[in-house]
Amino acid sequence: MTSFISHTTVDCANAYELSEWWKPVLGYTDVPGDPNLPGHEECMIVDPAGVRPRLLFIEVPDEKTVKNRIHLDLRPVEGTRDEELDRLLAHGATVVADHRGKYGPGTGWVVLADPAGNEFCILRSEAEVEATS
């Protein structure tokens, strides 16, 4: 017998605001027939195609104080890592650490934080990886 990941949960101070921030980052929507609304303490967002993992945002009283023990690694669906980085920065993400070129030209990733301070990484697109293999 085995298990599967139902969803990833993100603790936060405002579930609605953070779920709204993440929807355009991932191209996700609210659960059909169950919209997230201001004041909801739990907000789930889903991939409209139902292929990618769901994210659940839950309000907790604790503030984030240390590095995440688990985080999301994102790859651009289209375009390059750097184009996606520009889009995410314009959307309100902040750079935590820049590891581009860490393993040679055209390699690496950038660690970002969402408005609640949760870290996530932006990696090179699959096309970029294949072009340097």
Side-chain angles (χ1 to χ4, degrees), residues 4-5 7 14 20 30 38 51-53 67 70 74 76-77 82 92 97 101-102 105 128 130 133:
F4 68 92
I5 297 171
H7 57 271
N14 187 314
E20 288 296 301
D30 292 343
V51 178
R52 297 184 183 121
K67 183 183 183 307
I70 188 170
L74 307 180
V77 174
D82 293 346
K102 185 171 184 162
E128 287 176 288
E130 289 174 13
S133 298

Side-chain angles (χ1 to χ4, degrees), residues 8 22 25-26 52-53 55 67-68 70-76 88 109-112 119-124:
T8 300
W22 275 97
V25 170
L26 300 172
R52 297 184 183 121
L55 287 178
K67 183 183 183 307
N68 294 13
I70 188 170
H71 66 268
L72 302 176
D73 286 338
L74 307 180
R75 282 196 194 278
L88 296 173
W109 64 95
V110 180
V111 181
L112 300 171
E119 293 100 358
F120 63 99
C121 295
I122 185 69
L123 311 173
R124 294 179 301 148

Side-chain angles (χ1 to χ4, degrees), residues 2-120:
T2 63
S3 298
F4 68 92
I5 297 171
S6 168
H7 57 271
T8 300
T9 301
V10 178
D11 292 346
C12 57
N14 187 314
Y16 175 74
E17 286 182 6
L18 202 54
S19 70
E20 288 296 301
W21 189 86
W22 275 97
K23 283 194 301 190
V25 170
L26 300 172
Y28 277 29
T29 62
D30 292 343
V31 174
D34 187 16
N36 298 321
L37 299 171
H40 282 180
E41 294 178 357
E42 295 184 7
C43 295
M44 178 82 74
I45 61 173
V46 298
D47 171 20
V51 178
R52 297 184 183 121
R54 301 177 299 169
L55 287 178
L56 176 64
F57 299 87
I58 296 181
E59 292 184 7
V60 298
D62 312 310
E63 290 189 26
K64 182 182 177 303
T65 58
V66 296
K67 183 183 183 307
N68 294 13
R69 296 292 303 243
I70 188 170
H71 66 268
L72 302 176
D73 286 338
L74 307 180
R75 282 196 194 278
V77 174
E78 299 172 352
T80 67
R81 173 200 56 212
D82 293 346
E83 290 168 338
E84 185 66 355
L85 173 63
D86 290 343
R87 183 181 80 89
L88 296 173
L89 292 173
H91 185 56
T94 56
V95 174
V96 174
D98 190 336
H99 299 288
R100 288 179 285 184
K102 185 171 184 162
Y103 299 104
T107 67
W109 64 95
V110 180
V111 181
L112 300 171
D114 68 16
N118 299 300
E119 293 100 358
F120 63 99

